[in-house]
């Protein structure tokens, strides 16, 4: 039994070690020692996206309004459409738009919390698109771990 | 009785107790309209499974699970030799993680689950971790210390790759009011020259963590002291309390390994 458990421990550690660097997209829960959002966060950082709040602050409303409208329409569809509910929602590590609002991000004229959009989440693909958009616009994004926030 | 394992068990019990109490105190987060409500989080499960899990995942159910986990943590503190307490903690933690993903499960939670599961395995043959065979006891302690070192090294590696060290990351963080309280931000901004220093020290020590464990007791003590301060500051300034609770559990293993 001891020998068997020793092998189990060794395999577990070996796999963890392998998963840190070999295949960074693997999200095995006990096999990666990063924050829940480390991968998207650092990918975002690689693209020189630093601070979403700064992004919003440094851009006049009109420039990102159409983008946000488009996002919102899609998000509404994903979340509220009963058919959309049946689709697999890819859970994003990025926070809901309303959280950005609460963080002091001026996303007016959309007062998201007043529109009952508290629970809108960004899909993983959308998160990526959003970041790419922000970068292409010369913006910056800060990403924060939802786990830490939620506490 | 192994002292390092005894202390690890106590710290694991304490970490589960504190983390559960903290979530119970923030129970509004699980309410019907809140961010972690079941109607939203259940979407990640197939429809039938979600309906089946409703009693556990719903608002009163999740609070009951948290209360049970807190009680199991207390049970482990009072009776560290109890393998049943470890089984209970492991099962409840896995269920809660499955329920709360992705919002409320961070690397601290994962680390704590890993240590708990490791202790559970070590106690499997004798049904008590404290009377585990010496060989298995050593393997378990080495495993915990190695995982802790690896987790620090990985975090340091990614930080280094992303050019931590000029103070910009912490400076950006201080601008995010949701993360950092106004008092902390004001305090740290007054000493902004400290930020690059803090970033560099974090990256350096995280990268050196495995080496520090291997270099003997004195270096391991430096690592433990730094880690304690680092997580304490993270808990105080950024609200990352689960990290501190979880990483304290690996200190006995680190010190034990370093002494050998």
């Amino acid at each position: 039994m001891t020998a068997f458990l020793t092998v189990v421990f060794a395999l577990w550690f070996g796999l963890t070690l392998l998963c840190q660097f070999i295949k960074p997209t693997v999200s095995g829960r006990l096999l990666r020692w990063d924050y829940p959002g480390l991968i998207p966060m650092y990918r975002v950082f690689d693209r020189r996206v630093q601070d979403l709040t700064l992004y919003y602050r440094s851009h006049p409303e009109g420039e990102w309004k159409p983008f946000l409208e488009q996002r919102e329409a899609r998000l509404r569809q994903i979340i509220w459409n009963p058919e959309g509910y049946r689709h697999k929602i890819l859970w994003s590590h990025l926070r809901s738009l309303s959280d950005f609002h609460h963080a002091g991000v001026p996303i007016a004229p959309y007062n998201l919390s007043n529109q009952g959009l508290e629970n809108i989440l960004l899909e993983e693909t959308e998160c990526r698109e959003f970041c790419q958009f922000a970068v292409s616009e010369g913006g910056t994004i800060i990403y924060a771990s939802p786990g830490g926030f939620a506490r | 009785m192994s002292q390092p394992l005894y202390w690890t068990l106590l710290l694991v019990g304490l970490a589960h107790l504190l983390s559960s109490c903290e979530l119970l105190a923030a129970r509004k987060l699980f309410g019907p309209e809140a961010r972690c409500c079941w109607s939203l989080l259940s979407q990640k499960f197939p429809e039938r499974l979600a309906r089946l899990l409703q009693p556990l995942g719903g608002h009163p159910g999740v609070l009951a699970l948290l209360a049970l986990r807190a009680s199991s943590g207390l049970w482990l503190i009072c009776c560290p030799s109890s393998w049943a307490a470890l089984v209970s903690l492991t099962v409840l933690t896995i269920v809660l993680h499955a329920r709360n993903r992705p919002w409320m499960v961070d690397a601290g939670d994962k680390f704590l689950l890993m240590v708990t599961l490791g202790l559970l395995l070590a106690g499997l043959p004798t049904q008590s971790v404290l009377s585990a065979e010496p060989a298995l006891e050593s393997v378990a302690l080495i495993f915990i210390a190695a995982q802790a070192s690896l987790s620090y090294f990985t975090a340091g590696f990614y930080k280094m790759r992303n050019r931590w060290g000029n103070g910009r990351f912490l400076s950006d963080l201080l601008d995010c009011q949701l993360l950092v309280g106004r008092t902390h931000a004001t305090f740290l901004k007054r000493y902004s020259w400290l930020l690059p220093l803090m970033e560099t020290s974090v990256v350096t020590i995280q990268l050196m963590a495995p080496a520090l464990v291997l270099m003997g007791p004195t270096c391991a003590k430096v690592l433990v002291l730094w880690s304690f301060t680092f997580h304490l500051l993270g808990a105080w300034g950024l609200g990352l309390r689960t990290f501190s609770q979880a990483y304290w559990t690996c200190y006995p293993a680190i010190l034990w390994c370093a002494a050998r």
Side-chain angles (χ1 to χ4, degrees):
Chain A
M1 190 68 162
T2 304
F4 171 72
L5 287 173
T6 306
V7 172
V8 170
F9 276 123
L11 274 177
W12 186 356
F13 181 72
L15 269 175
T16 315
L17 188 63
L18 212 65
C19 286
Q20 303 305 312
F21 306 107
I22 304 298
K23 198 178 177 189
T25 49
V26 166
S27 58
R29 266 178 289 156
L30 285 178
L31 295 178
R32 285 194 60 80
W33 293 128
D34 45 32
Y35 325 133
L38 186 137
I39 297 168
M41 175 166 84
Y42 284 106
R43 280 189 185 155
V44 164
F45 271 42
D46 283 346
R47 292 169 185 157
R48 306 175 68 82
V49 183
Q50 290 283 320
D51 191 336
L52 181 64
T53 56
L54 290 180
Y55 171 72
Y56 278 125
R57 278 170 194 158
S58 60
H59 283 69
E61 268 178 23
E63 286 186 31
W64 47 265
K65 192 178 163 187
F67 173 77
L68 197 65
E69 271 172 352
Q70 188 197 341
R71 286 300 90 163
E72 195 180 305
R74 281 189 66 188
L75 288 165
R76 266 183 186 284
Q77 201 181 351
I78 290 163
I79 301 293
W80 301 118
N81 180 348
E83 284 308 307
Y85 247 64
R86 303 288 171 268
H87 289 299
K88 190 179 170 191
I89 295 176
L90 293 172
W91 294 85
S92 156
H93 291 301
L94 253 185
R95 299 177 56 73
S96 69
L97 290 177
S98 64
D99 287 332
F100 291 133
H101 171 69
H102 292 315
V105 179
I107 41 180
Y110 296 93
N111 190 344
L112 294 174
S113 56
N114 287 344
Q115 290 181 23
L117 303 178
E118 281 286 339
N119 288 325
I120 279 185
L121 307 171
L122 286 174
E123 232 189 334
E124 195 169 44
T125 321
E126 287 186 323
C127 150
R128 205 171 295 130
E129 285 172 13
F130 182 85
C131 293
Q132 278 168 348
F133 171 82
V135 182
S136 69
E137 291 288 302
T140 52
I141 280 183
I142 191 167
Y143 171 78
S145 154
F149 274 84
R151 297 302 166 91
Chain B
M1 185 177 72
S2 158
Q3 282 299 312
L5 271 184
Y6 174 78
W7 282 106
T8 308
L9 285 162
L10 282 188
L11 289 169
V12 164
L14 188 67
H16 280 290
L17 176 66
L18 289 177
S19 133
S20 307
C21 288
E22 195 183 338
L23 289 175
L24 279 170
R27 57 190 170 278
K28 276 185 187 167
L29 284 170
F30 301 104
E33 297 298 323
R35 187 190 305 145
C36 297
C37 64
W38 178 243
S39 60
L40 187 71
L41 289 175
S42 61
Q43 297 301 314
K44 64 189 171 221
F45 298 114
E47 204 181 336
R48 283 178 70 181
L49 183 64
R51 223 178 299 135
L52 205 71
L53 294 173
Q54 162 72 31
L56 280 180
H59 186 240
V62 69
L63 297 186
L65 287 176
L66 286 168
L68 265 175
R69 192 170 74 137
S71 316
S72 303
L74 195 63
W75 180 12
L76 191 67
I77 294 170
C78 299
C79 182
S81 61
S82 168
W83 195 66
L86 275 175
V87 174
S88 164
L89 281 172
T90 308
V91 172
L92 287 167
T93 308
I94 289 172
V95 172
L96 281 164
H97 282 196
R99 192 256 176 224
N100 291 339
R101 267 194 338 266
W103 299 122
M104 306 179 77
V105 181
D106 56 30
D109 293 302
K110 289 197 289 180
F111 190 86
L112 185 57
L113 178 59
M114 183 276 298
V115 176
T116 314
L117 208 51
L119 292 172
L120 186 80
L121 284 179
L124 187 63
T126 52
Q127 308 285 292
S128 165
V129 186
L130 291 180
S131 51
E133 287 178 38
L136 200 53
E137 186 189 305
S138 308
V139 170
L141 288 168
I142 291 169
F143 172 75
I144 294 170
Q147 288 282 23
S149 312
L150 178 62
S151 73
Y152 278 134
F153 180 80
T154 308
F157 175 80
Y158 280 109
K159 285 188 183 92
M160 182 188 70
R161 224 178 60 171
N162 290 285
R163 299 176 291 279
W164 262 54
N166 55 13
R168 173 137 187 225
F169 183 90
L170 283 176
S171 168
D172 283 347
L173 216 56
L174 293 178
D175 286 330
C176 189
Q177 287 170 29
L178 193 64
L179 252 186
V180 187
R182 172 78 38 218
T183 325
H184 306 138
T186 315
F187 175 80
L188 283 171
K189 279 204 162 170
R190 197 180 305 151
Y191 300 98
S192 58
W193 55 271
L194 266 175
L195 298 180
L197 207 67
M198 283 163 80
E199 281 190 6
T200 310
S201 81
V202 168
V203 177
T204 311
I205 303 240
Q206 284 192 331
L207 283 173
M208 284 176 66
L212 287 173
V213 176
L214 294 172
M215 279 158 72
T218 314
C219 293
K221 277 176 197 161
V222 171
L223 175 65
V224 166
L225 197 68
W226 169 84
S227 163
F228 182 79
T229 317
F230 173 63
H231 290 301
L232 210 61
L233 283 174
W236 171 69
L238 305 177
L240 300 172
R241 287 178 288 277
T242 43
F243 281 86
S244 50
Q245 292 150 15
Y247 278 82
W248 291 346
T249 62
C250 69
Y251 297 160
I254 286 180
L255 294 173
W256 179 88
C257 283
R260 278 147 191 85

